[in-house]
Amino acid sequence: MILDLLLAFALLLIAWTSLSSPDLFRSVVLFITFGLLVALVWVRLGAPDVAMAEAAVGSGLTGALLLSTLSHMRRNQRRYDASRQEKNDRNAESDDAEQKEAEVA
Amino acid sequence: MIVTPNRMMPSRKRRKLRDENYIDDDVKLTPARRVILAMVAVLTVVLVMAVFAVPDDVVRLTQLTEDRLPESGVSNTVTAVLINFRGYDTFLEVSVLLLSIIGVWSVARRARVPVKVPNTPVLRVFVRLLMPLMVIVAGYLLWIGSDVPGGAFQGGAVLGGMGVLWIAAAVDDPGSRERRLLRPLLIVGMAFFLGAGALAIVVGGSMMQYPEGEAKTWILIIESAATFSIGATLVMLFLGGQPGGSSREDGKKS
Amino acid sequence: MTETALLYMVVGVVLFGMGLFALVAYPHLLRKILAMNVMGTGTFMVFIAIAHNGDNQPIDPIPHALVITGIVVAVCSTGLALALASQVQALTGQPRIDGSEREE
């Protein structure tokens, strides 16, 4: 019973921290840990088939999917910000050029 | 290596760490979010009360499945329920796997191949040793699922893990032979399931009514096909797009 | 209803509630996907707790089959949702849905 109470408490704590942590990488890693604890709960409730499926697919593969998407989103975010910066600089330059032409004319 | 807590780092290094991690700061509890939290808390309390109100003498199918287990051909109750007693549900689930791949391939054309792969000898040797072992474990889980916990989904999950390891560790580029196998692998699970269901009608019975005495053979054939399908689908979900269209650097072709 | 089953049913419901809050309240798409997975796990926990008959008693296998199916379907929907989220980021620059999408 003590084991069950500790497991339940750890489960709820990890789920809440995973969902509300500002660092997304930490959220995903905590989600993988959450999956491991959930597999333990399945074993505790007499469901070893479900535990195997959850540990492999529900926690492991979903975690891999999320990490892969996270790293690609981060890379695309940087590229997007860089290209926007470039476009702003170019707009600023063309505005300056137009201003100079207006002064000359 | 001593790890310094973030507070004690110089601010220049802290800013670099912050830019490298993906920080999304929008998690504060604004007043609107407090209202949502209150409403969700009320809903949760109502649901907990509903859970406590589950009656004790509800009909359970434990005894019924135990009694009919010899007719199903396997001795693991969960496998019997999955592939024999409720085989139609499992067939629909395998079709959901296929549908999700169709969805992913329609939305995102380019595959998400990992860009930076550490080229250490430990990774190369270890992954090459591990991949055949994972295939053996998957086959074992598939076979043993008839008697003890295991089965098609667990074996398929291990196969999927092997595929993810293959891609993430960049052991080999999948050649054209593997790519030609890809589409058949994706559909073989659903095809075999549907074929077995139709064959059951021909042999004399209703759809998915496996003939008496041969149920175990049929179940094993269907499960093997489903294992391949599940593994291939999980790997394709990890790739997130069609393989072979992207290159390892920032590919500009789609 | 055994004590462990009751405890885990309540835990499942609370997980569902946490997931629902995070799904509705936070705008970042990746957080919403995590929240959907937590909600699904909470629901599965209620199912498996109902199927629990006692510590070494034979279990009710039908909820187990439903949950195994549910886990695989949840992974598929997460994969599809992640592909869509990547596309949202490619098109609008931010993986967020809060009504303030930028104009290009």
Side-chain angles (χ1 to χ4, degrees):
Chain A
M1 194 62 198
I2 304 283
L3 175 68
D4 291 326
L5 285 171
L6 284 177
L7 202 52
F9 177 65
L11 216 55
L12 293 175
L13 190 63
I14 285 194
W16 181 250
T17 315
S18 163
L19 289 174
S20 66
S21 154
D23 182 4
L24 278 175
F25 179 70
R26 188 190 297 186
S27 285
V28 175
V29 171
L30 281 176
F31 177 75
I32 299 178
T33 317
F34 172 74
L36 177 66
L37 288 182
V38 165
L40 283 181
V41 171
W42 297 153
V43 170
R44 186 69 188 89
L45 284 177
D49 314 67
V50 186
M52 274 194 263
E54 166 80 35
V57 169
S59 154
L61 203 98
T62 312
L65 280 179
L66 286 164
L67 284 175
S68 159
T69 311
L70 190 64
S71 84
H72 275 254
M73 270 191 183
R74 190 173 63 196
R75 205 165 47 111
N76 289 344
Q77 182 82 19
R78 291 229 195 91
R79 243 192 291 160
Y80 184 85
D81 287 342
S83 77
R84 261 190 141 227
Q85 190 70 17
E86 235 178 273
K87 206 192 295 192
N88 284 347
D89 292 341
R90 255 186 286 133
N91 283 347
E93 282 179 14
S94 70
D95 285 345
D96 286 345
E98 284 177 10
Q99 239 184 359
K100 286 207 190 94
E101 284 186 23
E103 283 174 22
V104 164
Chain B
M1 194 175 93
I2 304 179
V3 180
T4 26
N6 281 8
R7 296 184 300 278
M8 286 167 40
M9 275 191 218
S11 60
R12 197 178 354 115
K13 187 167 182 194
R14 203 187 317 174
R15 214 176 315 132
K16 176 170 183 283
L17 210 65
R18 181 194 179 85
D19 284 335
E20 277 187 2
N21 295 333
Y22 198 158
I23 308 277
D24 163 51
D25 272 326
D26 198 1
V27 290
K28 302 184 185 43
L29 271 182
T30 64
R33 287 186 190 156
R34 277 181 231 259
V35 170
I36 298 178
L37 186 59
M39 291 198 288
V40 168
V42 166
L43 177 66
T44 307
V45 165
V46 169
L47 285 177
V48 168
M49 292 196 312
V51 151
F52 272 99
V54 167
D56 267 333
D57 55 350
V58 71
V59 171
R60 307 246 167 120
L61 295 175
T62 311
Q63 199 52 49
L64 192 58
T65 33
E66 293 272 337
D67 291 339
R68 302 283 220 150
L69 200 55
E71 294 178 33
S72 69
V74 293
S75 47
N76 179 14
T77 45
V78 178
T79 306
V81 167
L82 263 179
I83 319 260
N84 197 336
F85 297 146
R86 294 192 69 106
Y88 194 57
D89 293 343
T90 310
F91 163 65
L92 289 177
E93 181 214 333
V94 175
S95 68
V96 164
L97 285 169
L98 189 60
L99 273 176
S100 75
I101 286 298
I102 293 178
V104 168
W105 282 10
S106 316
V107 167
R109 293 293 166 73
R110 234 180 303 150
R112 280 194 310 252
V113 180
V115 177
K116 270 190 307 190
V117 179
N119 195 15
T120 59
V122 170
L123 187 67
R124 282 199 310 261
V125 172
F126 185 63
V127 168
R128 277 178 209 262
L129 276 180
L130 206 55
M131 278 173 52
L133 283 179
M134 285 174 99
V135 174
I136 296 180
V137 168
Y140 172 74
L141 281 176
L142 169 65
W143 176 255
I144 210 72
S146 316
D147 304 314
V148 296
F153 291 102
Q154 289 78 0
V158 173
L159 271 190
M162 180 207 88
V164 166
L165 204 55
W166 182 1
I167 289 173
V171 171
D172 266 324
D173 262 328
S176 64
R177 187 176 34 146
E178 278 95 356
R179 258 178 247 142
R180 253 181 289 136
L181 273 180
L182 180 62
R183 284 181 199 216
L185 271 181
L186 283 175
I187 63 172
V188 76
M190 186 176 165
F192 268 54
F193 229 126
L194 196 53
L199 198 59
I201 302 183
V202 167
V203 168
S206 37
M207 179 171 184
M208 300 220 175
Q209 186 178 346
Y210 312 136
E212 303 228 8
E214 298 175 28
K216 175 150 190 188
T217 321
W218 283 51
I219 288 181
L220 217 46
I221 294 177
I222 294 177
E223 271 194 309
S224 315
T227 306
F228 285 122
S229 243
I230 293 167
T233 306
L234 293 177
V235 173
M236 285 304 117
L237 280 178
F238 175 73
L239 271 186
Q242 291 197 24
S246 68
S247 41
R248 226 158 258 288
E249 58 277 359
D250 303 342
K252 293 194 181 62
K253 44 184 175 166
S254 57
Chain C
M1 205 82 256
T2 59
E3 280 186 349
T4 38
L6 215 51
L7 169 71
Y8 285 121
M9 266 207 276
V10 172
V11 168
V13 171
V14 174
L15 280 176
F16 182 82
M18 278 191 210
L20 183 60
F21 168 68
L23 178 65
V24 173
Y26 298 139
H28 198 278
L29 281 177
L30 226 56
R31 252 185 246 288
K32 287 190 198 275
I33 294 174
L34 279 175
M36 277 195 336
N37 277 314
V38 168
M39 279 170 81
T41 305
T43 316
F44 298 152
M45 210 173 282
V46 174
F47 264 89
I48 303 279
I50 287 183
H52 183 67
N53 279 332
D55 258 344
N56 274 324
Q57 309 284 335
I59 44 95
D60 183 0
I62 308 237
H64 288 208
L66 291 176
V67 165
I68 292 181
T69 305
I71 290 177
V72 176
V73 168
V75 160
C76 288
S77 68
T78 299
L80 186 54
L82 286 173
L84 288 171
S86 299
Q87 285 304 101
V88 166
Q89 193 205 20
L91 289 175
T92 67
Q94 282 281 10
R96 307 159 74 85
I97 305 184
D98 52 1
S100 65
E101 281 88 42
R102 290 191 219 162
E103 307 273 328
E104 255 304 285

